[in-house]
């Protein structure tokens, strides 16, 4: 529309009004879908022209249609379409800022120029047709309900509201009238005025017998609408009361509260109704009223109940020193430790109580309690207690000595039940790590303590791994692998460190390198690979944070083992590790050069394996692996390491073709979007005159066709949000090609590619003009 000349725009206006005049003379109305489309065209024209070219839009329409039923129908449909474009659009969609400003200007102009006339027209329509045209009347009530939220309520006060109340008694109109009153009640207003409005409505409704629910039982649909109205009135009154209380208007607040309480019998009657649609509508009012009660009465009772007795001794307070921790009932023990941890800040100002509480944690009252439930919960609470307190330096070595037996890796064959489960031991190792790291000991002492904590774990790991390699029984293999996985997890003492600097400051770098050296051989274990690989992979993720580049020498060997005999799920879980390294370290190009092709070839091999036709699990795993693979390529292209791709001379073409295939062939919008992001980035990197040799040919032969063929696929569903995002990336790719290749690209489209698709010269020229516009949305909508 914006590109039309003034005479063309004038022609559109005249055509619309001529069509509308024709409708007034028709014997029968057009079909509903045609009327809806016409209303939408009127609304879109209004949005474009009201502020500038057609300020008399509504007056022209009203003068033409008068009270002709066919014209009134189009007029009301147009008003609802305008509401959808201008009012609802701000809420339901996320428009551009410019569009939001435009809609605000339209509403402001309508308030100043035409809203009073529109309200008058609604009143005339409702009055004229309420007896003989219930459908038109209901349409008009819907319009009033839609517009009332942003127009002056005084315009529809008194006579208008009285008309709505009278229509509540008309069987064909009562439901729509109810909805319209609901919108009026929900309109933002001064709390005093809102209370008066609601009370006046209630008075009329009560006088007319609407509060007598038993008389309305025959019309359940109306009762559902009425209950919604009652709920809205109740919630509005509660909101008014809340606002009045906050601003200190005691008299007005009391009046609002009295109005709320007067509605409670009706609330209870509707809430107890056997029809769920009716009772559910009252939940909001019920919840708000209970909140009022809580504030008014319950809080007073609670305050009174929580008042200290007169004889309470504030100088000697009843928990850490009274001996209650020694009471062996599990409920008492748990409550003691929960309370201690909840009020841990008490010990910051009263550190003299820490020794007694620590002993409670460490002896038969806590970690060695006779109840497994207590021991398990206390292990978690102990780790939390240790993390929050910094006054523990004097107790660290004593604590580590006392919990040493709780940190032992329990082999599955020893036959003795462990005091703590593996999950509980995780918290104990974490607590031990925090104690060592956060203490004030010298670096050398921290290194000794951390090694003494982790060395037994590494020794036990080596012994158990040797046993696993010799074990033949599958059940025993699983038990040993489970124990080995826990051992790797216990090294989560690393969670005490935030980054490499802290690890270095504590002198613990070498300790964790030794851990890696001990754990990595598990990757080559031929049995129970899934559990062991998962545990070591998680540890590597953590070490990237703790050791940073010092972890890199371990990764090639780890990768070699993980890529052997792997499944789709193994690769999908391994790729994020390499992506993490790629994103974190800028100097890893040699490392990536080494690992790139083995990883990619392993992915190709797994994806190329035949699968049973109906194996949904295998199909899903392959789909997720494809997504991970494309995300990995995106990470490389986006992190400045494109030379890794460029240097894969023998396999580069194959990689590029998989990206083209992912963009076009697979009905997976998430993968397609990633592929177009990659293609756009590669065009940016290599598509210029100084780019990669041969890449411009690839652009014209493969990338350009991909941008046109993908949206033409029957699986390209534009009702799907992810597909719409894919379309955006497709458009961005075309824009990037134009940016890098300029007029050469336009010539290619006009004279070679588009003619090969049998595209007419007119459409070809139109597309190229759109492509050269700066706004990407124009191109995206054109492709749609």
């Amino acid at each position: 529309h914006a590109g039309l000349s003034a005479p063309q725009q004038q022609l559109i206006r005249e055509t619309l009004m001529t069509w509308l005049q024709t409708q007034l003379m028709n014997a029968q109305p057009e079909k509903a879908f045609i009327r809806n489309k016409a209303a939408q065209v009127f609304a879109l024209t209004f949005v474009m022209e009201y502020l500038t070219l057609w300020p008399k839009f509504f007056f022209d329409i009203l003068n033409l249609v008068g009270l002709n039923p066919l014209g009134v129908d189009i007029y009301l449909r147009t008003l609802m379409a305008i509401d959808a474009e201008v009012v609802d659009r701000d809420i339901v969609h996320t428009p551009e800022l410019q569009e939001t400003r435009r809609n605000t200007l339209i509403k402001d102009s309508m308030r100043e120029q035409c809203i009073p006339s529109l309200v008058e027209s609604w009143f005339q329509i409702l009055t004229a047709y309420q007896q003989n045209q219930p459908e038109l009347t209901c349409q008009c009530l819907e319009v009033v309900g839609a517009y009332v939220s942003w127009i002056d309520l005084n315009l529809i006060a008194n006579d208008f509201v009285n008309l709505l109340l009278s229509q509540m008694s008309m069987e064909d109109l009562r439901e729509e009238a109810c909805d319209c009153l609901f919108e009026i009640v929900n309109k933002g207003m001064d709390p005093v005025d809102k209370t008066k409005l609601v009370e006046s409505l209630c008075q009329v409704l009560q006088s007319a017998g609407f509060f007598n629910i038993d008389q309305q039982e025959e019309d359940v649909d109306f009762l559902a609408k009425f209950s919604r109205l009652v709920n809205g009135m109740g919630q509005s009154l509660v909101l008014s009361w809340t606002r009045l209380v906050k601003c200190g208007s005691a008299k007005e607040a009391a009046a609002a509260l009295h109005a709320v309480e007067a509605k409670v019998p009706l609330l209870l009657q509707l809430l107890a109704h056997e029809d769920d649609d009716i009772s559910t509508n009252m939940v909001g009012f019920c919840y708000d009223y209970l909140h009022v009660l809580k504030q008014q009465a319950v809080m007073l009772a609670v305050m009174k109940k929580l008042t200290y007795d007169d004889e309470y001794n504030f100088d000697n307070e009843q928990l850490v020193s009274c001996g209650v921790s020694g009471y062996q009932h599990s409920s008492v023990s748990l409550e003691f430790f929960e309370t201690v941890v909840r009020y841990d800040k008490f010990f910051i100002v009263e550190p003299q109580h820490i020794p007694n509480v620590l002993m409670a944690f460490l002896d038969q009252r806590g970690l060695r309690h006779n109840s497994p439930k207590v021991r398990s919960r206390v292990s978690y609470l102990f780790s939390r207690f240790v993390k929050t307190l910094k006054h523990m330096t004097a107790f660290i070595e004593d604590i580590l000595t006392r919990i040493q037996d709780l940190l032992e890796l329990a082999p599955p064959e020893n036959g003795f039940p462990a005091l703590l489960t593996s999950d509980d031991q995780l918290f104990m190792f974490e607590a031990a790590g925090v104690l060592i790291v956060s203490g004030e000991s010298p670096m050398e002492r921290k290194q000794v303590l951390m090694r003494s904590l982790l060395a037994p774990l590494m020794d036990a790991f080596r012994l158990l791994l040797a046993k696993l390699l010799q074990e033949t029984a599958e059940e025993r293999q699983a038990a040993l692998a489970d124990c080995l996985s826990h051992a790797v997890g216990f090294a989560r003492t690393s969670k005490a460190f935030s980054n490499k600097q802290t690890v270095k400051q504590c002198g613990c770098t070498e300790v964790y390198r030794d851990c890696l050296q001990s754990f990595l051989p598990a990757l080559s274990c031929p049995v129970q690979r899934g559990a062991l690989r998962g545990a070591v992979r998680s540890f590597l993720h953590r070490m990237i944070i703790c050791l940073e580049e010092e972890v890199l020498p371990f990764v090639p060997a780890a990768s070699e083992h993980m890529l052997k005999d792997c499944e789709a799920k193994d690769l999908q879980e391994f790729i994020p590790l390499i992506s993490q390294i790629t994103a974190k370290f800028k100097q890893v190009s040699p490392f990536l050069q080494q690992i790139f092709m083995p990883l990619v070839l392993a992915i190709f091999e797994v994806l190329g394996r035949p699968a049973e036709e109906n194996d949904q699990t295998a199909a899903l795993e392959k789909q997720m692996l494809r997504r991970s693979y494309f995300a990995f390529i995106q990470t490389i292209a986006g992190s400045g390491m494109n030379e890794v791709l460029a240097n894969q001379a023998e396999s580069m073409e194959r990689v590029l073709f998989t990206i083209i295939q992912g963009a076009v062939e697979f009905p997976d919008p998430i993968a397609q979007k990633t592929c177009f992001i990659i293609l756009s980035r590669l065009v940016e990197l290599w598509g210029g005159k100084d780019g990669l040799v041969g890449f411009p040919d690839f652009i014209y032969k493969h990338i350009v066709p991909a941008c046109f063929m993908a949206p033409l696929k029957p699986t390209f569903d534009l009702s799907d949000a992810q597909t719409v995002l894919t379309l955006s990336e497709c458009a961005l790719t075309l824009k990037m090609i134009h940016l890098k290749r300029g007029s050469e690209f336009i010539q290619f489209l006009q004279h070679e590619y588009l003619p090969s698709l049998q595209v007419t010269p007119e459409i070809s020229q139109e597309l190229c003009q759109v492509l050269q516009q700066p706004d990407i949305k124009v191109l995206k909508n054109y492709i749609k």
Side-chain angles (χ1 to χ4, degrees), residues 346-355 391 395:
F346 166 80
F347 298 96
I348 296 175
V349 295
E350 300 281 350
Q352 70 272 17
H353 293 292
I354 292 177
H391 297 77
F395 314 110

Side-chain angles (χ1 to χ4, degrees), residues 200 528 669 686:
S200 65
Q528 299 294 321
W686 298 335

